[in-house]
Amino acid sequence: MNDRGMGLLGCLGFVAACSVVALLGCEDKPEKARVPAHPFVGQTVTVSFPAGYGFGDSWKAALDEWAEQTGAKCNLTEYTRGAAGLKELPAADVVVLAYSDVPAVATGNRLAPIPESSRAGEVSGGWNDFFPGVRDRVLTISGRPTLVPISCPVLACYLRGDLLDKARLKPPTTWDEYQKLLDTLPKWAPGLSAVEPWGEDFRATLFLARALPSVKKAGSYSVYFDIDSGAPLIDSPAFVRTLTQSVAQFSKLSTDSVKLSPADCRRLILTGKAAMAISFEPGRAGEKPIERAPGVSLVLARLPGARQVYDRKGSSWESLPDGEVNYATLAPVGGLALAVAKSIPAERAEAAWNLVNFLSVDRYQQALATVAKSVCRESQMANAVDWIGPELRTDEMYGYLAVSSESLRTTNLSPELPVIGRSELRKSLTEGITSALEGKATPDAALKEVADRWKAIAAGFGVERMRDSYRACLGLAPVLKLPDIPGPRH
């Protein structure tokens, strides 16, 4: 055979050898496991949500879509919240909860923590995507990430930017600067008022939001109660000073403020009847837009802070260095979150968390089109323009988003009365504030009376139980109980 024939046989042999190697290689490497098209066939997930919060056709359509994609079945149940909120967790796998109901259901250890494997990115778009204040102070229970937020509203200052610019004034950074704007209102905004939501339903919330910068230093937890003893702190000098200032400022506000809600205040500044307001955006599609008055230009600012913070351990006021302001955020003011019941079997729990991810990430805007929403994480900042109130102009809208994100990124944040007995505590606080605003009691006497009522409420629930509930809702573990060690016998 000539050299050309030998070369041809060699090439054929080489090709054949390569083919054998390739085939053997395919046999040695197992085929990558395929995710089943319908991973939760045979599972039925029950979802329970509160009546009156806007869950409608878009909600049902999203749940139907998830069921079709996963092969699972989805049952919907609606529950009604009483005036005092929930006492028991609704019987369901996935539950939509108002934050105000979390203390009552969290105390019984009935909510499942988010699985560790899910925090990296599957459930809720990644745990670290949430703003740190929301993540660490609102969504974590007893040290375990537990809740996935639908909304976490935060209050902001709405000011007439056109009038401030004309008078060469700036938005306030502290409550003292806020007071100066109130005092000079007839000069820079003649004929206009300032409005705040002091209506009875929101009175306690506004007071606590005002007080927090004077009460809470970064890293502190003992705001409403001492986290070690459980003693109420509502009559501390910082709360008394805030109520004293609030009473003084109250006379400078529109007389209607005593009955206004945040939505009322927002409407009054948009329609040109107020120059200053405290409110937040509704975050809901489908609302009838407010007819905005011509010439109204808004600037949005963070709720003011303080340059002095009360040091409870030293029983003294601590002044911050020049130029520094202590901001502390009260959040959420209302709002909803998703949770999974702890009692359900593992397979159904996997389907439940998959559904939570679908609703809170994949179909967040579609599923919750008519439910009030607010930014809770970094990845939402770009899309929030679709569900912020249509009355805001582009610069105002981005100003509001900046205020909200800045307020929620800080971990110097506290929920409003995150403890069992919340409705009773809040009712007595509202009554105390009212007596001070109406001049029936001094701020000091009013809050001393509130503290006494809180002690009675704590005694009814059990002081240690209430203290540990407070700690749990702040992300802390219960106080460690040391075993009794018998002493020497004599």
Side-chain angles (χ1 to χ4, degrees):
M1 185 179 290
N2 59 24
D3 291 342
R4 185 176 179 181
M6 292 292 294
L8 180 59
L9 286 174
C11 288
L12 290 172
F14 177 75
V15 171
C18 288
S19 299
V20 171
V21 169
L23 287 171
L24 289 173
C26 291
E27 289 175 0
D28 288 345
K29 294 181 181 179
E31 189 174 326
K32 187 177 180 181
R34 295 180 181 179
V35 177
H38 298 92
F40 302 120
V41 171
Q43 296 294 330
T44 299
V45 176
T46 301
V47 181
S48 188
F49 57 95
Y53 280 77
F55 294 93
D57 293 341
S58 59
W59 172 250
K60 185 179 184 305
L63 293 167
D64 288 344
E65 181 186 356
W66 176 81
E68 185 177 346
Q69 288 183 10
T70 63
K73 293 182 180 178
C74 192
N75 289 337
L76 290 180
T77 65
E78 187 178 66
Y79 67 90
T80 302
R81 297 179 66 242
L86 286 179
K87 298 297 181 184
E88 295 291 335
L89 186 69
D93 304 313
V94 177
V95 183
V96 179
L97 290 171
Y99 289 108
S100 55
D101 290 330
V102 169
V105 300
T107 304
N109 197 23
R110 285 165 285 189
L111 301 179
I114 300 174
E116 192 169 344
S117 59
S118 299
R119 295 177 215 161
E122 183 181 345
V123 169
S124 66
W127 182 248
N128 289 331
D129 188 31
F130 293 117
F131 296 131
V134 181
R135 185 179 67 221
D136 297 342
R137 299 290 185 264
V138 179
L139 308 179
T140 298
I141 297 175
S142 298
R144 299 185 295 269
T146 302
L147 304 173
V148 176
I150 290 173
S151 55
C152 188
V154 59
L155 290 170
C157 282
Y158 291 60
L159 303 112
R160 283 287 298 270
D162 53 317
L163 300 179
L164 288 178
D165 289 344
K166 187 177 179 180
R168 297 184 179 179
L169 296 172
K170 294 181 179 179
T173 58
T174 66
W175 285 110
D176 288 338
E177 292 176 4
Y178 182 91
Q179 176 70 56
K180 289 179 182 178
L181 284 180
L182 277 180
D183 292 340
T184 59
L185 193 65
K187 292 183 179 179
W188 65 271
L192 297 180
S193 63
V195 291
E196 295 179 6
W198 283 105
E200 188 173 352
D201 290 344
F202 205 77
R203 196 166 296 163
T205 304
L206 180 60
F207 169 69
L208 295 176
R210 280 171 154 269
L212 212 57
S214 298
V215 175
K216 190 180 186 312
K217 296 189 292 185
S220 66
Y221 290 89
S222 296
V223 176
Y224 314 113
F225 294 89
D226 186 293
I227 60 169
D228 296 317
S229 69
L233 304 175
I234 195 63
D235 59 343
S236 73
F239 283 113
V240 172
R241 176 184 281 190
T242 299
L243 187 53
T244 302
Q245 292 173 338
S246 298
V247 170
Q249 291 178 350
F250 196 68
S251 62
K252 304 285 185 179
L253 302 174
S254 165
T255 55
D256 288 337
S257 287
V258 72
K259 59 184 179 183
L260 295 180
S261 68
D264 295 329
C265 294
R266 179 177 177 272
R267 176 177 48 79
L268 287 168
I269 196 166
L270 284 168
T271 54
K273 296 176 183 176
M276 299 171 64
I278 293 176
S279 187
F280 58 90
E281 287 300 291
R284 190 198 306 264
E287 298 258 323
K288 183 179 179 181
I290 295 170
E291 188 173 345
R292 183 166 167 162
V296 171
S297 175
L298 299 181
V299 60
L300 283 300
R302 191 172 178 180
L303 218 60
R307 289 200 169 94
Q308 281 192 325
V309 186
Y310 186 71
D311 180 7
R312 197 168 57 86
K313 291 184 178 179
S315 299
S316 62
W317 287 93
E318 178 183 318
S319 296
L320 275 65
D322 289 345
E324 289 190 18
V325 175
N326 183 57
Y327 288 104
T329 304
L330 184 80
V333 288
L336 300 169
L338 291 157
V340 171
K342 189 177 182 180
S343 59
I344 62 178
E347 289 184 1
R348 200 157 81 236
E350 184 181 356
W353 282 116
N354 184 276
L355 176 56
V356 168
N357 180 67
F358 183 83
L359 294 172
S360 63
V361 180
D362 298 345
R363 295 295 184 274
Y364 178 75
Q365 288 180 240
Q366 298 94 320
L368 305 167
T370 55
V371 177
K373 299 176 288 300
S374 65
V375 288
C376 300
R377 51 181 169 232
E378 298 291 350
S379 61
Q380 288 178 331
M381 293 289 283
N383 298 324
V385 295
D386 296 332
W387 32 269
I388 285 183
E391 299 89 353
L392 295 192
R393 295 167 184 164
T394 302
D395 59 328
E396 297 166 349
M397 176 183 61
Y398 284 110
Y400 179 77
L401 287 175
V403 166
S404 297
S405 58
E406 186 180 11
S407 299
L408 295 174
R409 284 186 183 117
T410 178
T411 54
N412 198 23
L413 179 151
S414 177
E416 178 190 342
L417 299 177
V419 62
I420 54 171
R422 180 184 184 277
S423 60
E424 294 95 327
L425 297 168
R426 198 167 181 272
K427 180 182 177 183
S428 64
L429 177 57
T430 299
E431 291 171 353
I433 296 167
T434 302
S435 67
L437 292 178
E438 293 178 350
K440 296 177 180 178
T442 64
D444 183 58
L447 292 180
K448 274 190 167 68
E449 174 67 21
V450 173
D452 287 341
R453 293 183 189 176
W454 281 21
K455 289 175 185 175
I457 294 168
F461 281 96
V463 174
E464 291 185 354
R465 180 172 172 239
M466 181 170 273
R467 176 202 62 199
D468 288 345
S469 162
Y470 181 57
R471 292 174 64 95
C473 292
L474 295 177
L476 302 173
V479 172
L480 180 64
K481 296 180 181 179
L482 297 175
D484 292 332
I485 301 176
R489 295 181 180 181
H490 298 284

